[in-house]
């Protein structure tokens, strides 16, 4: 609630987003704007919180800790309604069809596609768990999700929707 952290809450007035979607943008902005602080507070406690003690030995977890400790602050992401429409369409249609991946599975979603980069996540439904899973990027050698989240993007659309196979799926569409 400190005023300095409220700068990260860029989505607070985006009425088209759910509370969880606004929270996901807020936490992503905290990571981007205060990487070292995030690493030494939230990330340092995450394995215990998630009941995944083995994660502290993960090379992916350790590399994220290193990356955040060296990362210079980045600008906050702003919510973008067109990117949200793109993300929502993909999350809804993927969820209904049990699809996982980046290809649009409907002609409507192809027409509404509005993104320069995309992160898709399946399973978790809490903003912090979704974000940390994408940042850790366990078993993803390219670290594609991490690179996008910590990249030079300025806008984001987020949709968290039900998924017939994974329970929940999240789509984050980013714009430069």
């Amino acid at each position: 609630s400190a005023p300095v952290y409220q700068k990260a809450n860029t989505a607070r007035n985006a009425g088209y987003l759910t509370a969880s979607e606004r929270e996901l943008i807020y936490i992503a902005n905290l990571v981007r704007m205060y990487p070292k602080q995030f690493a030494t507070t939230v990330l340092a406690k995450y394995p215990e919180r998630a009941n995944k003690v083995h994660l502290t030995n993960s090379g992916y977890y350790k590399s994220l800790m290193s990356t955040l400790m060296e990362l210079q602050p980045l600008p906050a992401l702003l919510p973008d309604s067109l990117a949200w429409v793109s993300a929502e369409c993909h999350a809804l249609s993927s969820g209904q069809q049990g699809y996982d991946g980046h290809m649009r599975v409907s002609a409507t979603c192809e027409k509404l596609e509005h993104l320069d980069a995309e992160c898709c996540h399946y399973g978790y439904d809490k903003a912090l768990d979704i974000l940390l899973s994408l940042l850790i990027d366990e078993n993803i050698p390219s670290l594609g999700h991490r690179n996008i989240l910590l990249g030079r993007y300025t806008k984001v659309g987020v949709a968290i929707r039900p998924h017939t196979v994974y329970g929940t799926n999240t789509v984050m569409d980013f714009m430069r």
Side-chain angles (χ1 to χ4, degrees), residues 80-88 114 155-158 173-175:
D80 183 272
S81 61
L82 292 176
W84 172 77
V85 168
S86 174
E88 184 189 40
H114 185 79
K155 300 175 189 172
V156 66
V158 176
D173 285 350
F174 294 84
M175 298 295 301

Side-chain angles (χ1 to χ4, degrees), residues 150-163:
L150 302 177
R152 299 284 174 194
Y153 298 96
T154 60
K155 300 175 189 172
V156 66
V158 176
I160 302 171
R161 299 293 180 269
H163 194 280

Side-chain angles (χ1 to χ4, degrees), residues 20-146:
S20 293
E21 293 161 355
R22 288 191 297 272
E23 181 182 13
L24 184 52
I25 293 172
Y26 175 63
I27 298 169
N29 282 337
L30 290 174
V31 173
R32 291 169 59 87
M33 296 169 70
Y34 310 104
K36 290 175 187 68
Q37 289 169 287
F38 191 89
T40 58
T41 56
V42 178
L43 183 60
K45 294 179 182 176
Y46 184 69
E48 293 171 23
R49 179 187 179 281
N51 222 2
K52 296 180 181 177
V53 178
H54 70 279
L55 212 47
T56 55
N57 295 322
S58 161
Y60 290 92
Y61 174 88
K62 289 176 181 176
S63 76
L64 176 59
M65 182 65 79
S66 258
T67 296
L68 293 181
M69 292 304 291
E70 297 171 12
L71 185 68
Q72 293 301 309
L74 296 164
L77 295 166
L78 300 173
D80 183 272
S81 61
L82 292 176
W84 172 77
V85 168
S86 174
E88 184 189 40
C89 190
H90 188 48
L92 284 170
S93 63
S94 294
Q96 291 165 353
Q97 295 185 31
Y99 172 79
D100 64 274
H102 296 282
M103 298 294 295
R104 296 316 196 238
V105 292
S106 79
T108 300
C109 290
E110 283 182 17
K111 290 176 187 168
L112 295 173
E113 191 174 71
H114 185 79
L115 60 105
D116 291 319
E118 182 172 73
C119 291
C120 296
H121 183 275
Y122 307 90
Y124 293 142
D125 61 355
K126 302 226 177 326
L128 181 61
D129 295 332
I130 294 164
L131 185 73
L132 286 176
S133 179
L134 289 167
L135 284 168
I136 293 169
D137 234 1
E138 191 74 29
N139 297 319
I140 308 294
S142 70
L143 300 177
H145 301 111
R146 182 187 305 178

